[in-house]
Amino acid sequence: MQGWVFSAGTEGICEYDEQLSLVTVGIDDTLLRDAGAAKGGVFRRVGALDPLLVQLVLSAENFSAGGRMYRETMSRALAVQLVATLDPPTTGQTPLDDIRLRRAVEHVHARLGEDVSLEGLAAEAGMSTFHFARSFKAVTGVSPLQYVIRTRLETAQALLKSTKLSIAEIAHRVGYEDVSRFGQHFRRQFGMTPAAFRDS
């Protein structure tokens, strides 16, 4: 899917040849900053849109229908996916403005269902594995492995609530070949099984 994504307050003129659909979604600045966006950052994206981001945006109007936990979880998933999908702001103050680390993070999100390796991420960043692992943890507060696991599980949360895919299919889509291992990680992270989370 092709389209535009702009932050609130963006002004300008655009010309188009076909009918367009416009969706406006409000996301709290604090939630965006928690997801990795810099304060006061401006998002701009033209071109291919991430399918999961589109799905989350289109289902946002129903976030309140599932109770507080559902609303908070889905809003957080939307913020995380938005920040991961769009080009982060460049303020010079946010360590992830380092283009090398941004490439590694984008690599994680683009290949979430694949066997992501430390060597592959370091190569994307143009660093040795040792320097990359140390720099990544200094920036994000977690190791590359922890970041990949967290991103996979947060994406799984969104898919559990916004799709009717089986738990096995969701596990596969976010990079788990072993469904039981996926369940163990999910429960350790969120305190409940994937099935219980879907039903909550």
Side-chain angles (χ1 to χ4, degrees), residues 96-107:
L96 268 178
D97 284 345
D98 185 324
I99 187 64
R100 297 171 299 172
L101 295 180
R102 284 171 53 193
R103 280 200 303 262
V105 167
E106 289 167 2
H107 183 82

Side-chain angles (χ1 to χ4, degrees), residues 27 31-37 43 50 52-53 56 72-86 105 109 112 147 150-155 157-158:
I27 305 176
L31 194 59
L32 285 173
R33 287 197 298 275
D34 288 345
F43 291 126
D50 177 71
L52 178 57
L53 176 63
L56 287 168
E72 291 174 349
T73 299
M74 296 303 291
S75 296
R76 185 167 186 264
L78 174 56
V80 168
Q81 196 66 20
L82 179 66
V83 172
T85 301
L86 305 181
V105 167
H109 288 270
L112 202 57
Y147 182 84
R150 184 180 69 188
T151 303
R152 284 175 168 166
L153 295 177
E154 288 173 349
T155 302
Q157 274 191 319

Side-chain angles (χ1 to χ4, degrees), residues 50-60 62-63 69-82 85 109 112 149-167 169-171 173-174 182 186 189-190 193-194 197-200:
D50 177 71
L52 178 57
L53 176 63
V54 172
Q55 189 171 39
L56 287 168
V57 167
L58 294 178
S59 62
N62 298 318
F63 285 0
M69 182 176 182
Y70 176 74
R71 182 178 67 251
E72 291 174 349
T73 299
M74 296 303 291
S75 296
R76 185 167 186 264
L78 174 56
V80 168
Q81 196 66 20
L82 179 66
T85 301
H109 288 270
L112 202 57
I149 292 173
R150 184 180 69 188
T151 303
R152 284 175 168 166
L153 295 177
E154 288 173 349
T155 302
Q157 274 191 319
L159 292 173
L160 284 165
K161 287 296 190 179
S162 63
T163 75
K164 294 183 179 181
L165 295 171
S166 69
I167 291 174
E169 176 64 19
I170 290 172
R173 285 197 179 194
V174 299
F182 165 67
F186 193 96
Q189 180 73 21
F190 303 118
T193 65
F197 175 81
R198 169 170 269 172
D199 294 338
S200 64

